[in-house]
């Protein structure tokens, strides 16, 4: 089975030098690891989470070209297909691969969370996007209540988005 690092390297190559795409997945992966360090994940869950964090936006280039945008639903549907092909030769056991495909196929669905791996992926991606989009502090504070669930995710968001820990 390929290591997470090997998959990250494959994903960087797949990103064809697109700085935004490479930077985004590296940061989402980093936030996901930071958050996961503070939560109780099995080795398998941790592997699934990290691979999903690295590959979650795999459909962005295709969606930009095909639809002219990276809207959530198209990206989820296209991403689930692309990630399965991308990981075909990674030697990942079926059960883990199915969970990775599921997470990539649901990473914009805030109402279907069914596990800590899923929750952490949403939180890590939220932090990366809020930084990129200069999301106002009031909206981030709202998200801390409506989107975030893990204690370490809330701490990570407050640190990265420079919110006072008392807010
Ligand atoms: Fe993302």
């Amino acid at each position: 089975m390929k290591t997470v690092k090997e998959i990250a390297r494959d994903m960087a190559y797949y990103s064809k030098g697109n700085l935004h795409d490479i930077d985004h997945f590296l940061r989402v992966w980093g936030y996901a690891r930071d958050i996961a360090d503070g939560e109780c994940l099995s080795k398998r869950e941790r592997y699934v989470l990290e691979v999903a964090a690295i590959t979650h936006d795999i459909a962005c280039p295709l969606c930009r070209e095909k639809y002219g945008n990276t809207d959530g639903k198209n990206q989820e549907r296209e991403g689930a297909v692309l990630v399965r092909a991308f990981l075909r030769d990674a030697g990942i056991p079926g059960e883990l691969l199915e969970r990775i495909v599921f997470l990539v196929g649901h990473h914009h669905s805030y109402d279907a969370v069914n596990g800590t791996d899923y929750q952490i992926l949403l939180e890590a991606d939220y932090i990366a996007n809020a930084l990129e989009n200069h999301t106002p502090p009031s909206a981030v504070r709202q998200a801390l209540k409506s989107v975030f669930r893990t204690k370490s995710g809330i701490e990570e968001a407050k640190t990265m988005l420079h919110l006072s820990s008392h807010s």
Side-chain angles (χ1 to χ4, degrees):
M1 181 163 84
K2 279 193 181 177
T3 64
V4 173
K5 273 191 181 173
E6 285 169 331
I7 290 168
R9 224 171 278 142
D10 289 349
M11 191 65 212
Y13 187 74
Y14 186 94
S15 302
K16 296 180 178 162
N18 183 312
L19 175 64
H20 169 273
D21 289 355
I22 293 171
D23 174 75
H24 179 81
F25 91 68
L26 287 176
R27 286 189 301 112
V28 172
W29 178 28
Y31 303 145
R33 279 180 299 177
D34 266 354
I35 298 170
D37 283 345
E39 304 297 316
C40 270
L41 263 70
S42 68
K43 271 195 168 161
R44 290 158 66 89
E45 286 172 318
R46 177 82 184 220
Y47 182 86
V48 163
L49 168 66
E50 292 197 34
V51 174
I54 289 164
T55 58
H56 74 284
D57 274 341
I58 193 166
C60 276
L62 174 80
C63 287
R64 284 187 211 115
E65 198 170 305
K66 191 168 169 183
Y67 308 104
N69 61 56
T70 54
D71 286 355
K73 283 296 155 195
N74 290 333
Q75 219 203 103
E76 288 185 341
R77 199 183 57 251
E78 302 280 6
V81 176
L82 289 182
V83 77
R84 190 183 290 283
F86 176 75
L87 295 174
R88 196 176 37 221
D89 301 324
I92 300 172
E95 199 186 323
L96 273 64
L97 178 65
E98 290 313 314
R99 183 65 178 168
I100 294 163
V101 170
F102 175 83
L103 292 180
V104 172
H106 288 79
H107 78 275
H108 283 280
S109 302
Y110 288 85
D111 54 355
V113 179
N114 60 0
T116 311
D117 49 358
Y118 191 157
Q119 179 61 36
I120 294 175
L121 176 63
L122 291 186
E123 294 176 358
D125 198 26
Y126 182 92
I127 296 168
N129 288 325
L131 264 170
E132 287 166 36
N133 300 332
H134 306 286
T135 303
S138 57
V140 175
R141 281 198 191 90
Q142 188 51 46
L144 288 180
K145 291 181 192 136
S146 57
V147 174
F148 284 72
R149 295 276 178 276
T150 73
K151 193 169 174 287
S152 21
I154 291 169
E155 277 167 21
E156 183 84 0
K158 284 182 173 173
T159 305
M160 294 300 161
L161 299 165
H162 199 244
L163 292 184
S164 139
S165 55
H166 306 294
S167 54

